[in-house]
Coordinates of all heavy atoms in Angstrom, one line a residue:
I57 N -7.7 92.5 -131.1 CA -6.6 92.1 -130.2 C -6.1 90.7 -130.6 O -6.9 89.9 -131.0 CB -7.0 92.1 -128.7 CG1 -5.8 92.0 -127.8 CG2 -8.0 91.0 -128.4 CD1 -6.1 92.4 -126.4
D82 N 10.3 90.8 -115.3 CA 11.0 89.5 -115.7 C 10.1 88.6 -116.5 O 10.5 87.5 -117.0 CB 11.6 88.8 -114.6 CG 12.7 89.6 -113.9 OD1 13.3 90.5 -114.5 OD2 13.0 89.4 -112.7
A111 N 19.5 74.5 -122.4 CA 20.1 75.8 -122.0 C 19.1 76.7 -121.4 O 19.4 77.4 -120.4 CB 20.7 76.5 -123.3
Q188 N -24.0 82.1 -129.2 CA -25.2 82.7 -128.8 C -25.8 82.1 -127.6 O -26.5 82.7 -126.8 CB -26.2 82.7 -130.0 CG -25.9 83.6 -131.1 CD -25.3 85.0 -130.7 OE1 -25.8 85.6 -129.8 NE2 -24.3 85.4 -131.4
W213 N -1.3 65.0 -125.3 CA -0.9 63.7 -124.7 C 0.1 63.8 -123.7 O 0.8 64.8 -123.5 CB -0.5 62.7 -125.9 CG 1.0 63.0 -126.3 CD1 1.7 64.2 -126.1 CD2 1.8 62.2 -127.1 NE1 2.9 64.0 -126.7 CE2 3.0 62.8 -127.4 CE3 1.6 60.9 -127.6 CZ2 4.0 62.3 -128.1 CZ3 2.6 60.3 -128.4 CH2 3.8 61.0 -128.6

Side-chain angles (χ1 to χ4, degrees):
I57 192 163
D82 294 337
Q188 291 317 319
W213 76 346

